[in-house]
Amino acid sequence: MKSFDFTDVTLTDGMMKRILDETLAFYLQIPNDNILKYMRESAGKPAPGIAYTGWYPNSRGTALIGQWLSAYSRMFAVSGDEAFREKAVYLADEFWDCCEAARTTAPFLTNRSHYDLEKLLRAHCDLFLYCGYTRAKEHAEYLVAFADRHLTKDNLFGDNSTEWYTLTESFWDAWEILELPQARELAERFEYREFWDIFYQDADPFSKKPLAGLYSEFCHAYSHVNSFNGCAKAYEMTNNPYFLKSLRSFYRFMQTEEVMATGGYGPNYEHLMPKNRIIDALRTGHDSFETQCDTYAAFRLCKYLTRFTGEPEYGNWVEALLFNATAATLPMTEEGNIIYYSDYNMYGGYKKNRQDGWTCCTGTRPLLVTEMQRLLYFEEDGGLYVSQYIPSKLHWNRNGSPVTVCQETGFPEENTTSLTLSLTAPAVFPIHLRMPGWLAGTMTVSCNHVPLSATVDKNGWLTVCREWKEGDCLTVALPAAVWMHSLDPVKKGPNAFLYGPVVLAADYTGIQTPNDWMDVQSLPEKMRPLPEQPLHYRVEGIDTITFRPFYEYKENERYFLYHDTTAHATKFHKKQ
């Protein structure tokens, strides 16, 4: 199965388009002089611009430049705006001029620059693919040779101080896209077999402890999920079943043990932990989910798995992260402040941008936002697969004939989506639709207001196959309702409430916490929609609690997302 690239899919009016437009505008206006200031100073060059604070001076900007070069390249592909291509090429040229000038006095790369090098190598693949950057291969060759000669070889299990185990994907990309033979050797050298073996063997996922790194009681969440994107790329390049088995086993582990109602994971200083420790972290901490980086890692993992298996379930995780992470982030500030951690504390959480600016998440945010467009549709054997219900337009070259699919929807506030087709000539082919895990009824389809029969294919997609003609409109009903998620199904809690894929957080104006005053287990049947306020709910019989989408909350508005039924004796609506 193939995914579509940035130029094939355009977001149209809706929530995700607004997020994309805001992100493009924010990153385009970052002054080049500010981005390059510390690098130019290190190179002994004139360095106008503002000196960024926060994380930026620690790396002189080299920890972010790779991600931003990728982002600007992709933004050019997404928008067609020449300003993004010019910015990407200018920053790349200036970076390398500074790198060369500072090589003997203040080198940008060292034997522990695994993280920076991985981002830079991926950036040059993007510069080559989307900007036609003529020096991409030359610079990538230097990066590969540097890695071979200088990067540490005694890489320890779980060492997230370097994240050495994330390099495999970028080396494979350099081998495939830029045709660098040595990159394949390095892709294989940096394989994280010691971690991947655990899942290949279906062993205890917590049986090995990190031997080095930061906060290393358990494995670092983002980088270890990201390591499996290297595992996925290795499968794509070699077709070795070891990689796919490990990948699928790891995905099952994440869904059953780690992933929360929002799609987030990795609380308590970004750890993959046993479920009881996750629940403890939701009681005691406010660092519930490294929002930007973790979302980007999961998006790519799900895209790989959808392509390899042809199965729709991976779109469920993507959907949760679109509405509860991507859309639930506060706007960035000019000082580089961004939501680093989402806060799901059971005794009250708040959205806050991180105080120190220009963290790694400011590099990842534009990548996950642009990645959205590659997650909506897939194709195989002349058939179309619709994985997400987002307003968008697909330009599809189907077996040499152009097909345009325009998806219009008010989802999730409305429970239908429509796909209007434009074809040069009638054509017979299947359209496959993901059936979300939250469906509250039968998913039905009609074409031009006439009901159609549909079948479920072998992989679980709802499928309609017919002759399609110019202007045909396929309407899909997506019945949804309020439902309850239990993080630990055995203990039946803690719980969160959702409408379809959208997490509903509680506004509470009473004393103590809402956990003390409501019977959480019976709550869904007592929630009543508020008129003219989509996805807002009151609770029958109590006027101090209302629910609304988590993505609506603004900075410093208190909310309750998870409800702790295991630590409180609930007093409200107790069954006699």
Side-chain angles (χ1 to χ4, degrees), residues 515-535:
N515 304 315
D516 298 281
W517 300 98
M518 61 187 184
D519 183 352
V520 172
Q521 300 293 331
S522 64
L523 193 65
E525 63 197 52
K526 297 179 172 67
M527 291 174 70
R528 301 289 181 263
L530 291 171
E532 300 182 8
Q533 297 183 67
L535 309 190

Side-chain angles (χ1 to χ4, degrees), residues 270-346:
E270 307 156 34
H271 283 133
L272 298 178
M273 304 186 293
K275 188 154 286 185
N276 66 305
R277 293 289 296 270
I278 296 173
I279 294 171
D280 287 345
L282 293 177
R283 292 194 183 106
T284 59
H286 294 268
D287 52 345
S288 307
F289 169 42
E290 188 186 1
T291 310
Q292 318 303 331
C293 294
D294 287 359
T295 297
Y296 183 51
F299 276 177
R300 287 155 48 230
L301 193 75
C302 291
K303 184 176 67 176
Y304 278 125
L305 279 164
T306 303
R307 289 176 47 225
F308 296 161
T309 68
E311 295 167 359
E313 67 172 288
Y314 309 108
N316 293 332
W317 194 8
V318 170
E319 183 179 58
L321 289 167
L322 283 170
F323 290 109
N324 305 308
T326 308
T329 291
L330 298 173
M332 277 181 63
T333 70
E334 291 184 2
E335 293 76 28
N337 307 110
I338 192 172
I339 280 187
Y340 192 97
Y341 292 123
S342 291
D343 181 0
Y344 307 152
N345 187 283
M346 288 187 274

